[in-house]
Amino acid sequence: EYAGRRMVLWSACCATGEEPVSLAVLARSCGIDADVYASDIDGSALSVLRGGVYTQGSFRTDGSRFHGLLEQFGRRESGSYTVDSAILAGIHVSEYNLAGTGSGPIPEESADIVFVRNVFIYFNRKTQNRIISNLARCIRPGGLLFFSMNEIAGIDVSRSGIPLIKEHCGAVYFFRKADAAAPVVYHKSRSSRAVSAGDEPSYRKSRKQQAEHHSAPVGQAASENAGAPSACSDAVPLRLLGEKILAAIDRHNLDDARKLLSSCSCGPAELEYRFYYSAVISKEEGKIGEAAGLFLKAFLLNRAFWPASLQLGLLYKEQGNEKEAVKAFSECAKVLEKYIEQQKTCYNFLVESFSPSYFYTLCTVYLKKGKSHAV
């Protein structure tokens, strides 16, 4: 595909430059001529990249199979690694504030792949939308946008104003910029409203109320939870259609998502799934209070159903409700910690094969920030 032309890669928020060095080496080893752009807000971090000398701490233990490749394009000596000058010459380094208003280091529609990893957790939704728009403008039609695996499930590209389609290669997920000739039509959400005290679900249910809820017959619990469509006796089990429902939601084709959801059977053990998908659809429509209520119902039906508490925490975080976000993320982290200890993955299809450890990290990072704000 790249015969006769150069590949353009951009590593945004590259810190000390391990990622752009790795990209440059990988491209060279594949026989691809590549211009690698590396940017970060921290000039002192970029000075490490310009110097091209790294310590052993820069080598990831889970990337050891590539270490031999790196050594073909650099040299090790007394605990350090020095990158070949030819590799460094192909990396264009610039100081750039990703959250700022200035133009990026590359022209519009010139990048084949943009990497912006492990940074979006620090931005609010408004800033994320602006950054995604800026990044997408720099990507050529058909080009790719990569986030880290622990961030991509919470990335909303629908408000970027530029068509980006979520795809995957195995367990690796990314966005592809659609060709202008065949744009993606996103669902236009209704104007979001803040979750007010009147319609906001709370974790303040007493233990007695929760016990009564869980001890009630399944039919009674379902009737109390209005909003979940009734099941069809001859329909497909909900778990088997989960991926298709999420794919329809991801394409912002909410009508298809609703049809799939209503065509599913839903046994007592799957009721939380129905509430979860209904909540995701409501969130896409901008019905924030309704979405929060449905996520909470899914979680209260099954407290091991961590995707519901995770999404509830993200929703509260977007709304600036730090106190409730801390509670939701705390509940999620408790469940995930048990799965990690037992080396189990549960409900992974809801989050597209991501490891629970990624989301545990997401929760704990936010809790460190959010608790101080909530207090």
Side-chain angles (χ1 to χ4, degrees):
E1 182 179 350
Y2 292 95
R5 73 179 185 87
R6 296 181 70 83
M7 176 185 271
V8 177
L9 308 172
W10 178 15
S11 173
C13 294
C14 71
T16 50
E18 286 85 346
E19 181 175 77
V21 167
S22 299
L23 293 172
V25 165
L26 188 59
R28 181 70 66 87
S29 70
C30 293
I32 297 173
D33 290 329
D35 285 321
V36 179
Y37 290 82
S39 66
D40 198 89
I41 193 173
D42 188 346
S44 60
L46 292 174
S47 65
V48 176
L49 171 56
R50 291 189 176 99
V53 179
Y54 294 92
T55 63
Q56 186 60 37
S58 290
F59 286 79
R60 291 176 56 137
T61 55
D62 60 350
S64 57
R65 65 187 184 281
F66 295 110
H67 292 175
L69 183 63
L70 285 167
E71 290 173 5
Q72 296 176 31
F73 299 93
R75 66 182 186 278
R76 280 184 184 271
E77 51 187 9
S78 61
S80 67
Y81 171 77
T82 303
V83 185
D84 281 352
S85 58
I87 294 293
L88 291 176
I91 302 176
H92 309 279
V93 184
S94 61
E95 195 168 323
Y96 175 64
N97 181 4
L98 194 65
T101 56
S103 58
I106 62 175
E108 288 192 6
E109 296 200 340
S110 62
D112 293 288
I113 310 176
V114 172
F115 297 85
V116 53
R117 302 171 63 247
N118 300 311
V119 69
F120 260 49
I121 188 175
Y122 301 109
F123 299 130
N124 60 32
R125 180 66 71 181
K126 183 178 180 180
T127 304
Q128 288 181 8
N129 292 339
R130 186 175 72 251
I131 293 172
I132 291 171
S133 295
N134 292 340
L135 294 175
R137 278 195 290 271
C138 294
I139 301 172
R140 67 169 178 82
L144 309 180
L145 174 60
F146 279 84
F147 297 90
S148 61
M149 291 297 97
N150 63 316
E151 293 174 318
I152 194 168
I155 297 296
D156 178 10
V157 299
S158 64
R159 293 169 178 81
S160 68
I162 298 174
L164 296 168
I165 304 169
K166 195 174 188 181
E167 298 181 1
H168 71 96
C169 180
V172 179
Y173 285 75
F174 51 87
F175 290 98
R176 183 184 298 275
K177 185 175 180 178
D179 193 308
V184 176
V185 179
Y186 286 113
H187 168 79
K188 291 184 178 179
S189 298
R190 299 177 186 178
S191 58
S192 299
R193 59 187 177 88
V195 181
S196 65
D199 61 8
E200 173 184 294
S202 172
Y203 280 84
R204 298 193 184 94
K205 273 194 172 185
S206 67
R207 291 183 181 274
K208 180 180 178 182
Q209 286 175 304
Q210 292 176 15
E212 289 172 350
H213 175 90
H214 288 292
S215 62
V218 172
Q220 180 182 336
S223 64
E224 290 173 357
N225 293 318
S230 59
C232 302
S233 59
D234 58 347
V236 179
L238 183 54
R239 291 171 187 254
L240 300 182
L241 283 181
E243 189 173 334
K244 290 185 178 180
I245 294 172
L246 286 178
I249 293 171
D250 200 50
R251 294 193 305 270
H252 297 267
N253 194 334
L254 301 187
D255 288 338
D256 279 0
R258 287 193 198 89
K259 289 176 183 177
L260 286 166
L261 188 57
S262 63
S263 71
C264 294
S265 63
C266 184
E270 292 188 321
L271 191 58
E272 66 265 31
Y273 289 82
R274 186 173 293 278
F275 285 128
Y276 180 89
Y277 291 126
S278 298
V280 175
I281 293 172
S282 295
K283 184 180 178 182
E284 288 293 311
E285 293 177 322
K287 300 175 182 176
I288 304 303
E290 181 178 302
L294 290 166
F295 281 133
L296 183 60
K297 286 177 180 178
F299 172 69
L300 291 176
L301 276 173
N302 182 354
R303 288 182 173 274
F305 194 69
W306 61 267
S309 54
L310 173 69
Q311 291 294 338
L312 188 59
L314 292 171
L315 189 149
Y316 282 135
K317 178 175 177 287
E318 291 172 17
Q319 296 298 313
N321 190 336
E322 303 285 353
K323 188 174 182 179
E324 293 297 329
V326 165
K327 292 178 182 178
F329 283 128
S330 295
E331 294 286 353
C332 184
K334 288 177 187 176
V335 177
L336 288 172
E337 190 171 23
K338 292 179 181 178
Y339 284 130
I340 293 167
E341 289 174 356
Q342 299 168 6
Q343 296 185 331
K344 291 181 179 179
T345 301
C346 191
Y347 303 114
N348 62 328
F349 80 92
L350 286 173
V351 287
E352 301 167 327
S353 301
F354 299 133
S355 164
S357 61
Y358 282 125
F359 289 98
Y360 178 75
T361 301
L362 179 76
C363 291
T364 53
V365 168
Y366 179 76
L367 287 171
K368 289 177 183 177
K369 294 175 60 182
K371 281 183 177 177
S372 61
H373 295 164
V375 171

